[in-house]
Every structure is written in structure tokens, then in C-alpha cells.
């Protein structure tokens, strides 16, 4: 180390610098770790069906899963683009167009939140939480649908409200 310190000026500077004294209670920095690992909840128990040498089970294909589901999600999202632009571009505030737009928004939101529930609360790990979140999602979706229906029938409607906010 002494021979390297004589050769490199950077090593000489760092070796000549005194060590800083940390006050009591100061956090300690460790290479590649900025904070301590703190788990809020312990991990759930891990289970395995069968033996180690059994192949992973392949789920039965279902038409509402996989590529069909992905394609439907993308079609709903793509369909919202003209539905959002048409009332303002054409200048017509049609209640039927409002109803279709509200239905598309509700369906799009429901699918998006359902995907989040599926990702974060898988049935195989937390079946009761998964079921509770799905029922909560259904309740909120129904409440949103009833609220938008009331807004459409008893008030100005969604596109007129957006137009009024935009021009305010």
C-alpha cells in the first residue's frame, strides 16, 4: 500500500485525509445499499404442489385470458380516442355519444384496475384479499356507472361539462 501511495497522487490524498468522526445515531453507509432492508409484513408461506421434479402445471386456456383479453383491452383503449375527440371536433353534444363515452370510460377503468388487482394480489397467494378487492372494484364500478347515469340524465352531461370547464 505504501508503494502505491507513493506512485498515485489520488491515493496519497485519500490516505492523508483524516477519518471523519460521525455523531452518535448517524446512519452508516454501506456499498451498494443506501438504506436498511425493512419489511413491513413478513413474506407469506411458500408452498409447492407435487415434488421438485414435477413439471410446472400449465393452466387451461380460457377465451377471456391471454391474447384475447389483451386485444380487447387495446381495442377499448383505442376506441376511446375517437369517442373523446368526436363531440368536440364535430360540435354536437349528443346524449347517445355521451352514454357511449361514459360506458367506454367505465369499462376501460374497470379493466385497468382489475389488471392491477390480478398483478398485486394473486389468487394463489392471497385468495381472500383478491376476492375482497374484486368485490370492492365491482362496487366502485357500479357506483361510478350510477353516478354518471345520473349526471347524464339529470344534469348537462359529460361532454358539455368538459366543454364548460375548458372554456371557463
Amino acid at each position: 500500500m505504501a508503494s502505491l501511495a507513493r506512485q498515485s497522487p489520488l491515493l496519497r490524498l485519500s490516505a492523508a485525509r483524516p477519518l471523519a468522526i460521525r455523531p452518535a445515531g448517524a446512519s452508516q453507509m454501506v456499498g451498494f445499499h443506501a438504506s436498511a432492508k425493512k419489511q413491513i409484513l413478513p413474506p407469506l408461506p411458500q408452498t409447492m404442489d407435487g415434488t421438485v421434479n414435477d413439471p410446472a402445471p400449465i393452466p387451461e386456456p380460457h377465451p377471456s385470458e391471454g391474447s384475447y383479453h389483451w386485444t380487447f383491452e387495446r381495442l377499448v383503449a383505442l376506441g376511446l380516442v375517437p369517442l373523446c375527440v368526436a363531440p368536440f371536433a364535430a360540435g354536437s353534444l349528443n346524449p347517445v355519444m355521451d352514454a357511449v363515452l361514459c360506458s367506454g370510460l367505465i369499462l376501460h377503468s374497470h379493466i385497468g384496475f382489475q389488471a392491477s388487482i390480478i398483478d398485486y394480489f394473486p389468487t394463489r397467494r392471497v385468495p381472500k384479499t383478491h376476492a375482497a378487492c374484486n368485490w370492492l372494484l365491482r362496487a366502485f364500478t357500479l357506483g361510478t356507472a350510477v353516478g354518471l347515469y345520473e349526471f347524464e340524465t339529470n344534469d348537462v352531461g359529460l361532454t358539455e361539462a368538459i366543454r364548460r370547464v375548458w372554456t371557463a
Side-chain angles (χ1 to χ4, degrees):
M1 181 72 176
S3 63
L4 285 176
R6 275 184 254 129
Q7 295 172 359
S8 171
L10 291 176
L11 287 176
R12 248 184 292 139
L13 287 176
S14 64
R17 214 179 307 160
L19 293 175
I21 300 173
R22 284 190 302 263
S27 64
Q28 185 177 17
M29 293 279 290
V30 179
F32 301 110
H33 297 285
S35 63
K37 183 178 178 184
K38 296 177 183 171
Q39 290 183 346
I40 296 173
L41 296 173
L44 295 171
Q46 303 293 316
T47 60
M48 183 172 58
D49 296 329
T51 65
V52 178
N53 294 326
D54 290 341
I58 298 173
E60 291 293 322
H62 195 271
S64 67
E65 300 292 331
S67 64
Y68 296 117
H69 186 71
W70 186 88
T71 305
F72 180 70
E73 286 176 353
R74 298 313 172 267
L75 287 174
V76 168
L78 188 63
L80 282 175
V81 174
L83 284 175
C84 290
V85 174
F88 304 107
S92 69
L93 300 172
N94 190 347
V96 175
M97 179 71 80
D98 265 2
V100 172
L101 176 62
C102 289
S103 300
L105 287 172
I106 289 171
L107 183 63
H108 178 70
S109 300
H110 182 86
I111 290 171
F113 282 116
Q114 187 179 34
S116 297
I117 290 170
I118 289 169
D119 287 345
Y120 290 106
F121 303 108
T123 308
R124 69 185 189 287
R125 286 194 71 198
V126 283
K128 291 180 183 176
T129 306
H130 180 84
C133 287
N134 272 333
W135 280 107
L136 193 63
L137 173 64
R138 290 177 190 130
F140 278 120
T141 302
L142 182 64
T144 304
V146 169
L148 281 174
Y149 174 76
E150 288 293 321
F151 187 65
E152 288 293 323
T153 56
N154 298 329
D155 209 344
V156 294
L158 185 65
T159 53
E160 176 64 21
I162 292 171
R163 189 184 68 77
R164 287 182 183 182
V165 168
W166 189 266
T167 57

